[in-house]
Coordinates of all heavy atoms in Angstrom, one line a residue:
M218 N -9.0 181.5 -79.1 CA -7.9 182.4 -79.0 C -7.6 182.7 -77.5 O -8.5 182.9 -76.8 CB -8.2 183.7 -79.8 CG -7.1 184.7 -79.6 SD -7.7 186.3 -80.4 CE -6.5 186.5 -81.6
D219 N -6.3 182.6 -77.1 CA -5.9 182.9 -75.8 C -6.0 184.4 -75.5 O -5.3 185.2 -76.1 CB -4.5 182.3 -75.5 CG -4.0 182.5 -74.1 OD1 -4.9 182.8 -73.2 OD2 -2.8 182.3 -73.9
S220 N -6.7 184.8 -74.5 CA -6.8 186.2 -74.1 C -5.9 186.6 -73.0 O -5.9 187.7 -72.5 CB -8.3 186.6 -73.8 OG -8.7 185.8 -72.6
N221 N -5.0 185.7 -72.5 CA -4.1 186.0 -71.5 C -2.7 186.4 -72.0 O -1.7 185.7 -71.8 CB -4.0 184.8 -70.5 CG -5.3 184.5 -69.8 OD1 -5.9 185.4 -69.4 ND2 -5.6 183.2 -69.7
F222 N -2.7 187.4 -72.8 CA -1.5 187.9 -73.4 C -0.6 188.5 -72.3 O -1.1 189.1 -71.4 CB -1.8 188.9 -74.5 CG -2.6 188.5 -75.6 CD1 -3.9 189.1 -75.9 CD2 -2.3 187.4 -76.4 CE1 -4.7 188.6 -76.9 CE2 -3.0 187.0 -77.4 CZ -4.3 187.6 -77.7
P223 N 0.7 188.5 -72.5 CA 1.6 189.2 -71.7 C 1.2 190.7 -71.8 O 0.9 191.2 -72.9 CB 3.0 189.0 -72.2 CG 2.9 187.7 -73.0 CD 1.5 187.7 -73.5
K224 N 1.3 191.5 -70.7 CA 0.8 192.8 -70.7 C 1.9 193.8 -70.3 O 2.7 193.4 -69.4 CB -0.4 193.0 -69.8 CG -0.9 194.3 -69.6 CD -2.1 194.3 -68.6 CE -2.5 195.6 -68.2 NZ -3.6 195.6 -67.2
A225 N 2.0 194.9 -70.9 CA 3.0 195.9 -70.6 C 2.3 197.3 -70.4 O 1.6 197.7 -71.3 CB 4.1 196.0 -71.6
K226 N 2.5 197.9 -69.3 CA 2.0 199.3 -69.1 C 3.2 200.2 -69.3 O 4.2 200.2 -68.6 CB 1.5 199.4 -67.7 CG 1.0 200.8 -67.3 CD 0.4 200.8 -65.9 CE -0.1 202.2 -65.5 NZ -0.6 202.2 -64.1
I227 N 3.1 201.1 -70.3 CA 4.2 202.0 -70.7 C 3.7 203.4 -70.5 O 2.7 203.8 -71.0 CB 4.6 201.8 -72.1 CG1 5.0 200.3 -72.4 CG2 5.7 202.8 -72.5 CD1 5.1 199.9 -73.8
I228 N 4.4 204.2 -69.6 CA 4.1 205.5 -69.4 C 5.0 206.4 -70.3 O 6.2 206.2 -70.4 CB 4.5 205.9 -67.9 CG1 3.9 204.9 -66.9 CG2 4.1 207.3 -67.6 CD1 2.4 204.8 -66.9
V229 N 4.3 207.4 -71.0 CA 5.1 208.3 -71.9 C 5.0 209.7 -71.3 O 3.9 210.2 -71.2 CB 4.5 208.2 -73.3 CG1 5.3 209.1 -74.2 CG2 4.5 206.7 -73.8
V230 N 6.1 210.2 -71.0 CA 6.2 211.6 -70.4 C 7.1 212.4 -71.2 O 7.9 212.0 -71.9 CB 6.6 211.5 -68.9 CG1 5.6 210.8 -68.0 CG2 8.0 210.9 -68.8
G231 N 6.9 213.7 -71.0 CA 7.8 214.7 -71.7 C 7.2 216.1 -71.7 O 6.1 216.2 -71.2
D232 N 7.9 217.0 -72.2 CA 7.4 218.4 -72.2 C 6.2 218.5 -73.1 O 5.9 217.7 -74.0 CB 8.5 219.3 -72.8 CG 9.7 219.4 -71.8 OD1 9.5 219.2 -70.6 OD2 10.8 219.8 -72.3
S233 N 5.4 219.5 -72.8 CA 4.2 219.8 -73.6 C 4.6 220.1 -75.1 O 5.5 220.9 -75.3 CB 3.5 221.0 -72.9 OG 2.3 221.2 -73.6
G234 N 3.8 219.6 -76.0 CA 3.9 219.9 -77.4 C 5.0 219.2 -78.1 O 5.3 219.6 -79.3
V235 N 5.6 218.1 -77.6 CA 6.7 217.5 -78.3 C 6.3 216.3 -79.1 O 7.1 215.7 -79.8 CB 7.8 217.0 -77.3 CG1 8.4 218.2 -76.6 CG2 7.2 216.0 -76.3
G236 N 5.0 215.9 -79.1 CA 4.5 214.9 -80.0 C 4.2 213.5 -79.3 O 4.1 212.5 -80.0
K237 N 4.1 213.5 -78.0 CA 3.8 212.2 -77.3 C 2.5 211.6 -77.8 O 2.5 210.4 -78.1 CB 3.7 212.5 -75.8 CG 5.0 213.0 -75.1 CD 4.9 213.2 -73.7 CE 3.8 214.2 -73.3 NZ 4.1 215.6 -73.7
T238 N 1.5 212.4 -77.8 CA 0.2 211.9 -78.3 C 0.2 211.3 -79.7 O -0.3 210.3 -80.0 CB -0.9 212.9 -78.1 OG1 -1.0 213.3 -76.7 CG2 -2.3 212.5 -78.6
S239 N 0.8 212.1 -80.6 CA 1.0 211.7 -82.0 C 1.8 210.4 -82.1 O 1.4 209.5 -82.9 CB 1.6 212.8 -82.8 OG 0.8 214.0 -82.8
L240 N 2.8 210.3 -81.3 CA 3.6 209.1 -81.4 C 2.9 207.9 -80.9 O 2.9 206.8 -81.5 CB 4.9 209.3 -80.5 CG 5.9 208.1 -80.5 CD1 6.4 207.8 -81.8 CD2 7.0 208.4 -79.5
I241 N 2.1 208.0 -79.8 CA 1.4 206.9 -79.3 C 0.3 206.5 -80.3 O 0.0 205.3 -80.5 CB 0.8 207.2 -77.9 CG1 1.9 207.3 -76.9 CG2 -0.3 206.2 -77.5 CD1 1.4 207.9 -75.5
H242 N -0.4 207.5 -80.9 CA -1.4 207.2 -81.9 C -0.8 206.4 -83.0 O -1.4 205.5 -83.5 CB -2.1 208.5 -82.3 CG -3.2 208.2 -83.2 ND1 -4.5 208.0 -82.7 CD2 -3.3 208.2 -84.6 CE1 -5.3 207.8 -83.8 NE2 -4.6 207.9 -84.9
L243 N 0.3 206.8 -83.5 CA 1.0 206.2 -84.6 C 1.3 204.7 -84.3 O 1.1 203.8 -85.1 CB 2.3 206.9 -85.0 CG 3.1 206.3 -86.1 CD1 2.3 206.3 -87.4 CD2 4.4 207.1 -86.3
I244 N 1.8 204.5 -83.1 CA 2.1 203.1 -82.6 C 0.9 202.2 -82.5 O 0.8 201.1 -83.0 CB 2.9 203.1 -81.3 CG1 4.3 203.7 -81.5 CG2 3.0 201.7 -80.7 CD1 5.0 204.0 -80.1
A245 N -0.2 202.8 -81.9 CA -1.4 202.0 -81.6 C -2.3 201.8 -82.8 O -2.9 200.7 -82.9 CB -2.2 202.7 -80.5
H246 N -2.3 202.8 -83.7 CA -3.3 202.7 -84.8 C -2.6 202.6 -86.2 O -3.3 202.5 -87.2 CB -4.2 203.9 -84.8 CG -5.0 204.0 -83.5 ND1 -6.0 203.2 -83.2 CD2 -4.8 204.8 -82.4 CE1 -6.4 203.5 -81.9 NE2 -5.7 204.4 -81.5
Q247 N -1.3 202.8 -86.2 CA -0.5 202.7 -87.5 C -1.0 203.7 -88.5 O -1.1 203.5 -89.7 CB -0.5 201.3 -88.1 CG 0.2 200.4 -87.1 CD 0.1 198.9 -87.6 OE1 -0.7 198.5 -88.4 NE2 1.0 198.1 -87.1
E248 N -1.4 204.9 -88.0 CA -1.8 206.0 -88.8 C -1.4 207.3 -88.2 O -1.2 207.4 -86.9 CB -3.3 206.0 -89.1 CG -4.1 206.3 -87.9 CD -5.6 206.2 -88.2 OE1 -6.0 205.7 -89.2 OE2 -6.4 206.8 -87.4
I249 N -1.1 208.3 -89.0 CA -0.7 209.6 -88.4 C -2.0 210.4 -87.9 O -3.0 210.4 -88.5 CB -0.1 210.5 -89.5 CG1 1.2 209.8 -90.0 CG2 0.2 211.9 -89.1 CD1 1.9 210.4 -91.2
L250 N -1.8 211.0 -86.7 CA -2.9 211.7 -86.1 C -2.8 213.1 -86.8 O -1.9 213.9 -86.6 CB -2.6 211.9 -84.6 CG -3.7 212.5 -83.7 CD1 -5.0 211.8 -83.9 CD2 -3.2 212.6 -82.3
K251 N -3.9 213.4 -87.5 CA -3.9 214.6 -88.3 C -4.1 215.9 -87.5 O -3.5 216.9 -87.8 CB -5.0 214.5 -89.4 CG -4.7 213.4 -90.3 CD -5.7 213.5 -91.5 CE -5.6 212.3 -92.4 NZ -4.4 211.7 -92.8
N252 N -4.9 215.9 -86.5 CA -5.2 217.1 -85.7 C -5.0 216.8 -84.2 O -6.0 216.7 -83.5 CB -6.6 217.6 -86.0 CG -6.7 218.1 -87.4 OD1 -5.9 218.9 -87.9 ND2 -7.8 217.6 -88.1
P253 N -3.8 216.6 -83.7 CA -3.6 216.3 -82.3 C -4.1 217.5 -81.4 O -4.0 218.7 -81.8 CB -2.2 216.0 -82.1 CG -1.5 216.8 -83.2 CD -2.5 216.8 -84.4
S254 N -4.6 217.2 -80.2 CA -4.9 218.2 -79.3 C -4.1 218.0 -78.0 O -3.4 217.0 -77.8 CB -6.4 218.2 -78.9 OG -6.8 216.9 -78.4
W255 N -4.2 219.0 -77.1 CA -3.4 218.9 -75.9 C -4.0 217.8 -75.0 O -5.2 217.6 -74.9 CB -3.5 220.3 -75.1 CG -2.9 221.4 -75.9 CD1 -3.6 222.4 -76.6 CD2 -1.5 221.7 -76.1 NE1 -2.7 223.2 -77.1 CE2 -1.4 222.9 -76.9 CE3 -0.4 221.1 -75.7 CZ2 -0.2 223.4 -77.2 CZ3 0.8 221.7 -76.0 CH2 0.9 222.8 -76.8
T256 N -3.1 217.1 -74.3 CA -3.5 216.1 -73.4 C -3.8 216.7 -72.1 O -2.8 217.3 -71.5 CB -2.5 215.0 -73.3 OG1 -2.3 214.4 -74.6 CG2 -2.9 213.9 -72.3
I257 N -4.9 216.6 -71.5 CA -5.3 217.1 -70.2 C -5.3 215.9 -69.2 O -6.1 215.0 -69.4 CB -6.6 217.8 -70.2 CG1 -6.5 219.0 -71.2 CG2 -7.0 218.3 -68.8 CD1 -7.9 219.7 -71.4
G258 N -4.3 215.9 -68.3 CA -4.2 214.8 -67.4 C -3.5 213.6 -68.0 O -2.3 213.6 -68.2
C259 N -4.3 212.6 -68.4 CA -3.8 211.4 -69.0 C -4.7 210.7 -69.9 O -5.9 210.8 -69.7 CB -3.4 210.4 -67.8 SG -2.8 208.8 -68.4
T260 N -4.2 210.2 -71.0 CA -5.1 209.4 -71.9 C -4.4 208.0 -72.1 O -3.2 207.9 -71.9 CB -5.2 210.0 -73.3 OG1 -3.9 210.2 -73.9 CG2 -5.9 211.4 -73.3
V261 N -5.2 207.0 -72.4 CA -4.7 205.7 -72.5 C -5.0 205.1 -73.9 O -6.1 205.3 -74.4 CB -5.3 204.8 -71.4 CG1 -4.8 203.3 -71.6 CG2 -5.1 205.3 -70.0
D262 N -4.1 204.5 -74.5 CA -4.3 203.8 -75.8 C -3.7 202.4 -75.7 O -2.8 202.2 -74.9 CB -3.6 204.6 -76.9 CG -4.5 204.6 -78.2 OD1 -5.3 203.7 -78.4 OD2 -4.4 205.6 -78.9
V263 N -4.3 201.5 -76.4 CA -3.8 200.1 -76.3 C -3.5 199.6 -77.7 O -3.9 200.1 -78.7 CB -4.9 199.2 -75.6 CG1 -5.1 199.7 -74.2 CG2 -6.2 199.2 -76.4
K264 N -2.7 198.5 -77.7 CA -2.3 197.8 -79.0 C -2.0 196.4 -78.7 O -1.3 196.1 -77.7 CB -1.1 198.5 -79.6 CG -0.6 197.8 -80.8 CD 0.7 198.4 -81.4 CE 1.3 197.7 -82.5 NZ 0.6 197.9 -83.8
L265 N -2.5 195.5 -79.5 CA -2.0 194.1 -79.5 C -0.8 194.1 -80.4 O -0.9 194.3 -81.6 CB -3.1 193.2 -80.0 CG -4.1 192.8 -79.0 CD1 -5.2 191.9 -79.6 CD2 -3.5 192.1 -77.7
H266 N 0.4 193.8 -79.9 CA 1.6 193.9 -80.7 C 2.1 192.4 -81.0 O 2.2 191.6 -80.1 CB 2.7 194.6 -79.9 CG 4.0 194.6 -80.6 ND1 4.2 195.2 -81.9 CD2 5.2 194.1 -80.3 CE1 5.5 195.0 -82.2 NE2 6.1 194.4 -81.3
E267 N 2.3 192.2 -82.2 CA 2.8 190.9 -82.7 C 4.4 190.9 -82.6 O 5.0 191.4 -83.5 CB 2.3 190.5 -84.1 CG 0.8 190.5 -84.2 CD 0.2 189.5 -83.3 OE1 0.8 188.4 -83.1 OE2 -1.0 189.7 -82.9
Y268 N 4.9 190.4 -81.6 CA 6.4 190.4 -81.4 C 7.0 189.3 -82.1 O 6.6 188.1 -82.0 CB 6.7 190.3 -79.9 CG 8.2 190.3 -79.5 CD1 8.9 191.4 -79.6 CD2 8.7 189.1 -79.1 CE1 10.3 191.4 -79.3 CE2 10.1 189.0 -78.8 CZ 10.8 190.2 -78.9 OH 12.2 190.2 -78.6
K269 N 8.0 189.6 -83.0 CA 8.8 188.7 -83.8 C 7.8 187.8 -84.6 O 7.9 186.6 -84.7 CB 9.7 187.8 -82.9 CG 10.8 188.6 -82.3 CD 11.9 187.7 -81.7 CE 13.0 188.5 -81.2 NZ 14.1 187.7 -80.8
D270 N 6.8 188.5 -85.2 CA 5.8 187.8 -86.1 C 6.5 187.0 -87.2 O 7.5 187.5 -87.8 CB 4.9 188.8 -86.6 CG 3.6 188.2 -87.2 OD1 3.3 187.0 -86.9 OD2 2.9 188.9 -87.9
G271 N 6.1 185.8 -87.4 CA 6.6 185.0 -88.5 C 7.8 184.1 -88.1 O 8.4 183.5 -88.9
T272 N 8.2 184.2 -86.8 CA 9.3 183.4 -86.3 C 8.8 182.4 -85.3 O 7.7 182.4 -84.8 CB 10.4 184.3 -85.7 OG1 10.0 184.8 -84.5 CG2 10.8 185.4 -86.6
S273 N 9.7 181.5 -84.9 CA 9.4 180.6 -83.8 C 9.3 181.2 -82.5 O 8.8 180.6 -81.5 CB 10.4 179.4 -83.8 OG 11.7 180.0 -83.5
H274 N 9.7 182.5 -82.3 CA 9.7 183.2 -81.1 C 8.5 184.2 -81.0 O 8.4 185.1 -80.2 CB 11.0 184.0 -80.9 CG 12.2 183.2 -80.9 ND1 12.5 182.3 -79.8 CD2 13.2 183.0 -81.8 CE1 13.6 181.7 -80.1 NE2 14.1 182.1 -81.3
H275 N 7.5 184.0 -81.9 CA 6.4 184.9 -82.0 C 5.6 184.9 -80.7 O 5.3 183.9 -80.1 CB 5.5 184.4 -83.2 CG 4.2 185.2 -83.3 ND1 3.0 184.8 -82.8 CD2 4.0 186.5 -83.7 CE1 2.1 185.7 -83.0 NE2 2.6 186.7 -83.6
K276 N 5.2 186.1 -80.3 CA 4.3 186.3 -79.2 C 3.4 187.5 -79.5 O 3.8 188.4 -80.1 CB 5.1 186.7 -77.9 CG 5.6 185.6 -77.1 CD 6.2 186.2 -75.8 CE 6.8 185.1 -74.9 NZ 7.3 185.6 -73.7
T277 N 2.2 187.4 -78.9 CA 1.3 188.5 -79.0 C 1.3 189.2 -77.6 O 1.1 188.5 -76.6 CB -0.2 188.1 -79.4 OG1 -0.1 187.5 -80.6 CG2 -1.1 189.3 -79.4
C278 N 1.5 190.5 -77.6 CA 1.6 191.2 -76.3 C 0.6 192.3 -76.3 O 0.3 193.0 -77.3 CB 3.0 191.9 -76.2 SG 4.4 190.7 -76.3
F279 N 0.0 192.6 -75.1 CA -1.0 193.6 -75.0 C -0.2 194.8 -74.4 O 0.3 194.8 -73.3 CB -2.1 193.2 -74.0 CG -3.1 194.2 -73.8 CD1 -4.1 194.4 -74.7 CD2 -3.2 194.9 -72.6 CE1 -5.1 195.3 -74.5 CE2 -4.2 195.9 -72.3 CZ -5.1 196.1 -73.3
L280 N -0.1 195.9 -75.1 CA 0.6 197.1 -74.7 C -0.4 198.2 -74.3 O -1.4 198.5 -75.1 CB 1.5 197.7 -75.8 CG 2.5 196.7 -76.4 CD1 3.3 197.4 -77.5 CD2 3.4 196.2 -75.3
E281 N -0.3 198.8 -73.1 CA -1.1 199.9 -72.7 C -0.1 201.1 -72.6 O 0.9 201.1 -72.0 CB -1.6 199.7 -71.2 CG -2.7 198.8 -71.1 CD -3.1 198.7 -69.6 OE1 -2.3 198.4 -68.8 OE2 -4.3 199.0 -69.3
F282 N -0.5 202.2 -73.3 CA 0.3 203.4 -73.4 C -0.5 204.5 -72.6 O -1.6 204.8 -72.9 CB 0.5 203.9 -74.8 CG 1.4 203.0 -75.6 CD1 0.8 202.0 -76.4 CD2 2.7 203.1 -75.6 CE1 1.6 201.2 -77.2 CE2 3.5 202.2 -76.3 CZ 2.9 201.3 -77.1
F283 N 0.2 205.0 -71.5 CA -0.4 206.1 -70.7 C 0.3 207.3 -71.1 O 1.5 207.5 -70.9 CB -0.2 205.8 -69.2 CG -1.2 204.7 -68.7 CD1 -1.1 203.4 -69.1 CD2 -2.2 205.1 -67.8 CE1 -1.9 202.5 -68.6 CE2 -3.1 204.2 -67.3 CZ -2.9 202.9 -67.7
D284 N -0.4 208.2 -71.7 CA 0.1 209.5 -72.2 C -0.2 210.6 -71.2 O -1.3 211.0 -71.0 CB -0.6 209.8 -73.6 CG -0.2 211.2 -74.2 OD1 0.8 211.8 -73.7 OD2 -0.9 211.6 -75.1
I285 N 0.9 211.0 -70.5 CA 0.7 212.0 -69.4 C 0.9 213.4 -70.0 O 1.9 213.6 -70.7 CB 1.8 211.8 -68.3 CG1 1.8 210.3 -67.8 CG2 1.6 212.8 -67.2 CD1 0.6 209.9 -67.1
G286 N -0.1 214.3 -69.8 CA 0.0 215.6 -70.3 C 1.3 216.3 -69.9 O 1.8 216.1 -68.8
G287 N 1.9 217.1 -70.8 CA 3.2 217.7 -70.6 C 3.2 219.0 -69.8 O 4.2 219.4 -69.4
N288 N 2.0 219.5 -69.5 CA 1.9 220.7 -68.8 C 2.4 220.5 -67.4 O 2.2 219.5 -66.8 CB 0.4 221.2 -68.8 CG 0.2 222.5 -68.1 OD1 0.5 222.7 -66.9 ND2 -0.2 223.5 -68.9
I289 N 3.1 221.5 -66.8 CA 3.7 221.4 -65.5 C 2.7 221.0 -64.4 O 3.0 220.4 -63.5 CB 4.6 222.6 -65.2 CG1 5.5 222.3 -64.0 CG2 3.7 223.8 -64.9 CD1 6.6 223.3 -63.9
G290 N 1.5 221.4 -64.6 CA 0.4 221.2 -63.7 C 0.0 219.7 -63.6 O -0.5 219.2 -62.6
H291 N 0.4 218.9 -64.6 CA 0.0 217.5 -64.6 C 1.1 216.6 -64.0 O 0.9 215.4 -63.8 CB -0.2 217.0 -66.1 CG -1.3 217.7 -66.8 ND1 -1.1 218.3 -67.9 CD2 -2.6 217.8 -66.4 CE1 -2.3 218.9 -68.3 NE2 -3.2 218.6 -67.4
R292 N 2.3 217.2 -63.7 CA 3.4 216.4 -63.1 C 3.1 215.8 -61.8 O 3.5 214.7 -61.5 CB 4.6 217.2 -63.1 CG 5.1 217.5 -64.5 CD 6.4 218.2 -64.5 NE 6.8 218.5 -65.9 CZ 7.6 219.4 -66.3 NH1 8.2 220.2 -65.5 NH2 7.8 219.6 -67.6
S293 N 2.3 216.5 -60.9 CA 2.0 215.9 -59.6 C 1.1 214.7 -59.7 O 1.1 213.8 -58.9 CB 1.5 217.0 -58.7 OG 0.3 217.5 -59.2
S294 N 0.1 214.8 -60.7 CA -0.8 213.7 -60.8 C -0.2 212.5 -61.5 O -0.8 211.4 -61.5 CB -2.1 214.1 -61.5 OG -1.8 214.5 -62.8
A295 N 1.0 212.7 -62.2 CA 1.6 211.6 -62.9 C 1.9 210.4 -62.0 O 1.9 209.2 -62.5 CB 2.8 212.1 -63.6
K296 N 2.2 210.6 -60.8 CA 2.6 209.6 -59.8 C 1.5 208.5 -59.7 O 1.7 207.3 -59.6 CB 2.8 210.1 -58.4 CG 4.0 211.0 -58.4 CD 4.2 211.7 -57.0 CE 5.2 212.7 -57.0 NZ 5.3 213.5 -55.8
I297 N 0.2 208.9 -59.9 CA -0.9 208.0 -59.8 C -0.8 206.9 -60.9 O -1.0 205.8 -60.7 CB -2.2 208.7 -60.0 CG1 -2.4 209.7 -58.8 CG2 -3.4 207.8 -60.1 CD1 -3.6 210.7 -59.0
F298 N -0.4 207.4 -62.1 CA -0.4 206.5 -63.3 C 0.9 205.7 -63.3 O 1.0 204.7 -64.0 CB -0.5 207.3 -64.6 CG -1.7 208.2 -64.6 CD1 -1.7 209.5 -64.4 CD2 -3.0 207.6 -64.7 CE1 -2.8 210.3 -64.4 CE2 -4.1 208.3 -64.7 CZ -4.1 209.7 -64.6
L299 N 1.9 206.1 -62.6 CA 3.2 205.4 -62.6 C 3.1 204.0 -61.9 O 3.9 203.1 -62.1 CB 4.3 206.2 -62.0 CG 4.8 207.4 -62.8 CD1 5.7 208.3 -62.1 CD2 5.4 206.9 -64.1
Q300 N 2.1 203.9 -61.0 CA 2.0 202.6 -60.2 C 1.7 201.5 -61.2 O 0.9 201.5 -62.1 CB 0.8 202.8 -59.2 CG 1.1 203.8 -58.2 CD -0.1 203.9 -57.2 OE1 -1.2 203.5 -57.5 NE2 0.2 204.6 -56.1
G301 N 2.5 200.4 -61.1 CA 2.3 199.2 -61.9 C 2.9 199.3 -63.3 O 2.7 198.5 -64.1
A302 N 3.6 200.4 -63.5 CA 4.2 200.6 -64.9 C 5.4 199.6 -65.1 O 6.1 199.3 -64.2 CB 4.7 202.0 -65.0
D303 N 5.4 199.1 -66.4 CA 6.5 198.3 -66.8 C 7.6 199.0 -67.5 O 8.7 198.5 -67.7 CB 6.0 197.2 -67.7 CG 5.0 196.3 -67.0 OD1 5.4 195.6 -66.0 OD2 3.9 196.2 -67.5
G304 N 7.3 200.3 -67.8 CA 8.3 201.1 -68.5 C 7.9 202.6 -68.5 O 6.7 202.9 -68.4
C305 N 8.8 203.5 -68.5 CA 8.5 204.9 -68.6 C 9.4 205.5 -69.7 O 10.7 205.3 -69.7 CB 8.8 205.5 -67.3 SG 8.4 207.3 -67.2
C306 N 8.8 206.1 -70.7 CA 9.6 206.6 -71.8 C 9.5 208.1 -71.9 O 8.4 208.7 -71.8 CB 9.0 206.1 -73.1 SG 9.1 204.3 -73.2
K307 N 10.6 208.8 -72.0 CA 10.6 210.2 -72.3 C 10.4 210.3 -73.8 O 10.6 209.3 -74.5 CB 11.9 210.9 -71.8 CG 11.9 211.1 -70.4 CD 12.5 212.3 -69.8 CE 12.4 213.5 -70.5 NZ 11.8 214.7 -69.8
S308 N 10.1 211.4 -74.3 CA 9.8 211.5 -75.8 C 10.9 211.1 -76.7 O 10.6 210.4 -77.7 CB 9.4 213.0 -76.1 OG 8.2 213.3 -75.4
L309 N 12.1 211.4 -76.4 CA 13.2 211.0 -77.2 C 13.4 209.5 -77.2 O 13.6 208.8 -78.3 CB 14.5 211.6 -76.8 CG 15.8 211.3 -77.6 CD1 15.6 211.7 -79.0 CD2 17.0 212.0 -77.0
I310 N 13.2 208.9 -76.0 CA 13.3 207.4 -75.9 C 12.1 206.8 -76.7 O 12.3 205.7 -77.3 CB 13.3 207.0 -74.5 CG1 14.6 207.5 -73.8 CG2 13.3 205.5 -74.3 CD1 14.6 207.4 -72.3
S311 N 11.0 207.4 -76.7 CA 9.8 206.9 -77.4 C 10.1 206.8 -78.9 O 9.6 205.9 -79.5 CB 8.6 207.8 -77.2 OG 8.3 207.8 -75.8
Y312 N 10.9 207.7 -79.4 CA 11.2 207.7 -80.8 C 12.0 206.4 -81.1 O 11.7 205.7 -82.1 CB 12.0 208.9 -81.2 CG 12.4 208.9 -82.7 CD1 11.6 209.1 -83.7 CD2 13.7 208.5 -83.0 CE1 11.9 209.1 -85.0 CE2 14.1 208.4 -84.3 CZ 13.2 208.7 -85.3 OH 13.6 208.6 -86.6
V313 N 12.9 206.1 -80.3 CA 13.7 204.8 -80.4 C 12.7 203.6 -80.3 O 12.8 202.7 -81.1 CB 14.8 204.7 -79.4 CG1 15.5 203.4 -79.4 CG2 15.8 205.9 -79.6
L314 N 11.8 203.7 -79.4 CA 10.8 202.6 -79.2 C 10.0 202.3 -80.5 O 9.9 201.2 -80.9 CB 9.9 202.9 -78.1 CG 8.8 201.9 -77.8 CD1 9.4 200.5 -77.3 CD2 7.8 202.4 -76.7
I315 N 9.6 203.4 -81.1 CA 8.8 203.3 -82.4 C 9.6 202.6 -83.5 O 9.1 201.9 -84.3 CB 8.2 204.6 -82.8 CG1 7.0 204.3 -83.8 CG2 9.2 205.5 -83.5 CD1 6.2 205.6 -84.0
Q316 N 10.9 202.9 -83.5 CA 11.8 202.3 -84.5 C 11.9 200.8 -84.3 O 12.0 200.1 -85.2 CB 13.2 203.0 -84.5 CG 13.2 204.5 -84.8 CD 12.6 204.8 -86.2 OE1 12.9 204.1 -87.1 NE2 11.8 205.8 -86.2
L317 N 11.9 200.4 -83.0 CA 12.0 199.0 -82.7 C 10.7 198.2 -83.1 O 10.7 197.1 -83.5 CB 12.3 198.8 -81.3 CG 13.7 199.2 -80.8 CD1 13.8 199.1 -79.3 CD2 14.8 198.4 -81.5
I318 N 9.5 198.9 -82.9 CA 8.2 198.3 -83.1 C 7.9 198.1 -84.6 O 7.4 197.1 -85.0 CB 7.1 199.0 -82.4 CG1 7.3 198.8 -80.9 CG2 5.7 198.6 -82.8 CD1 6.3 199.6 -80.0
F319 N 8.3 199.1 -85.4 CA 7.9 199.1 -86.8 C 9.1 198.7 -87.6 O 9.9 199.0 -88.1 CB 7.4 200.4 -87.3 CG 6.0 200.7 -86.7 CD1 5.9 201.6 -85.6 CD2 4.9 200.0 -87.1 CE1 4.7 201.9 -85.1 CE2 3.7 200.2 -86.5 CZ 3.6 201.2 -85.5

């Protein structure tokens, strides 16, 4: 198996308490997070995504989701995690992203 999958680093930002952590957990683990807690700083979750599975354009992609805490105190440290990012999603945009993935 080839371990050199295309990789995407996706930063998810938004106000505190809007569901960023729950959304990332749903995407990465395909299950609802029953008891989400506040994100302090940043958490990272990963997923191997089967893009266009079952077609001739099929690719496996490695997705890294960086969940930045929504508290105003975390905004200054967010710059550290933005380096090398392939995308940055606000919570509303993340909802659209999940619709595309599933």
Side-chain angles (χ1 to χ4, degrees):
M218 178 187 239
D219 183 13
S220 62
N221 295 318
F222 301 120
K224 178 179 166 184
K226 178 179 179 182
I227 303 166
I228 309 297
V229 182
V230 296
D232 292 337
S233 184
V235 297
K237 298 178 300 294
T238 301
S239 296
L240 180 63
I241 291 171
H242 186 84
L243 180 62
I244 293 169
H246 303 284
Q247 298 174 340
E248 66 181 19
I249 295 172
L250 184 60
K251 296 191 189 319
N252 296 310
S254 59
W255 299 103
T256 301
I257 298 173
C259 177
T260 60
V261 179
D262 220 331
V263 297
K264 175 184 176 76
L265 280 177
H266 176 62
E267 302 298 328
Y268 177 73
K269 294 192 176 186
D270 196 13
T272 71
S273 61
H274 302 290
H275 176 257
K276 273 188 178 179
T277 301
C278 304
F279 182 77
L280 304 178
E281 282 183 304
F282 294 95
F283 284 69
D284 177 12
I285 307 294
N288 186 297
I289 197 161
H291 298 123
R292 291 187 183 155
S293 60
S294 63
K296 294 175 189 173
I297 296 167
F298 304 107
L299 290 172
Q300 294 176 349
D303 296 301
C305 183
C306 300
K307 289 218 31 124
S308 297
L309 180 59
I310 297 170
S311 297
Y312 177 77
V313 174
L314 177 66
I315 198 169
Q316 298 301 315
L317 295 172
I318 289 176
F319 293 105

